[in-house]
Amino acid sequence: MTVNITLIVLMAAFFAAGIYLLLERSLTRVLLGLILIGNGANILILAMSGGAGQSPLYVEGRPAEDYTDSLPQALILTAIVITFAVTAFMLGIIYRSWVLGREDAVQDDPEDRRVADQSSYDYEDDADIPADTSEFTAVDAGAPGDAEATADIRDTRGADAVGGAASRDGGGAGRPDPTATQTRPGGEPR
C-alpha cells in the first residue's frame, strides 16, 4: 500500500487550521474550524483506505485483494452527514446570537471569571487537622480493653452515659425519681 503524501499534507493543514479556528471567540470562525476538521477527517479516512482497486462487485475468478474496500467510503459518507448536521446546528446558534446581540463573539461570563480567579485551596478539604476531631470515643466504638477510658468517661458524664449499673437497676442520674416532688420552672409544685 502506498500513501499519497499530498493527501497527508492536506489533511494536516486542515486539522491545524481547524484547531486554530476552534480556539477563536467568533462563532463563525468556530464553524469554519469544525468544517475544516470534518474535511480533514474525511481525507484521513480516504488516505488510510488504500489504493484504488476494482469495484466491489463479485466477478468469478477475481482474487479478493483486487477489490476496493467499501467500508471507508461508507465512513466518509457518514462523516459528511454528521458534519452537515453540526454545521446546520452551529448556523442556528450563530443566527440566534446575531439576532439577540448583533455579534457572534462569545462573551466572558462574570461568574466564570470570578470562579477562575479563586484560589484552588479548599479550607474544608485541605486544612491541617491538629488532632482527632471525631465525636466517637473508644468506648462508643466498642474497642475492647479500654477500662481506663471507661472509668474516665464515667467520672465526667455519670454512670448512665456508658451504660453503668445504675441505669440497669432502674435508678441513676439520667432518670427522674418517681417519688420526688416535681416543680415547674417558676418553682411551683406540679
Side-chain angles (χ1 to χ4, degrees):
M1 178 177 108
T2 60
V3 177
N4 190 346
I5 193 69
T6 308
L7 287 179
I8 299 298
V9 170
L10 186 62
M11 178 214 46
F14 278 1
F15 275 125
I19 290 172
Y20 176 76
L21 288 173
L22 275 179
L23 298 175
E24 294 291 324
R25 307 282 282 166
S26 172
L27 290 176
T28 306
R29 291 182 181 170
V30 170
L31 174 64
L32 292 175
L34 285 172
I35 292 171
L36 285 176
I37 287 178
N39 288 331
N42 292 341
I43 293 173
L44 173 67
I45 294 171
L46 180 66
M48 295 298 115
S49 66
Q54 300 293 324
S55 65
L57 300 173
Y58 179 73
V59 176
E60 186 76 36
R62 185 180 294 166
E65 53 272 357
D66 289 346
Y67 291 115
T68 300
D69 188 10
S70 60
L71 179 64
Q73 296 170 8
L75 291 175
I76 290 172
L77 182 61
T78 305
I80 289 170
V81 171
I82 292 171
T83 303
F84 178 74
V86 170
T87 301
F89 178 69
M90 283 296 297
L91 282 172
I93 291 175
I94 292 168
Y95 176 73
R96 185 68 177 163
S97 174
W98 182 258
V99 166
L100 291 177
R102 292 291 179 209
E103 62 181 345
D104 70 339
V106 178
Q107 299 298 319
D108 279 338
D109 186 23
E111 183 66 19
D112 287 344
R113 288 281 93 216
R114 188 186 65 78
V115 169
D117 292 339
Q118 284 180 347
S119 171
S120 63
Y121 181 81
D122 184 15
Y123 293 104
E124 186 174 315
D125 293 337
D126 300 334
D128 293 332
I129 300 175
D132 185 20
T133 59
S134 173
E135 59 189 46
F136 301 107
T137 60
V139 174
D140 293 337
D146 267 343
E148 296 169 4
T150 305
D152 292 340
I153 292 172
R154 279 196 182 118
D155 291 341
T156 58
R157 291 196 233 166
D160 285 341
V162 290
S167 65
R168 288 190 196 115
D169 62 12
R175 295 185 181 168
D177 185 8
T179 60
T181 307
Q182 297 179 357
T183 60
R184 293 187 179 157
E188 305 169 359
R190 288 188 179 176

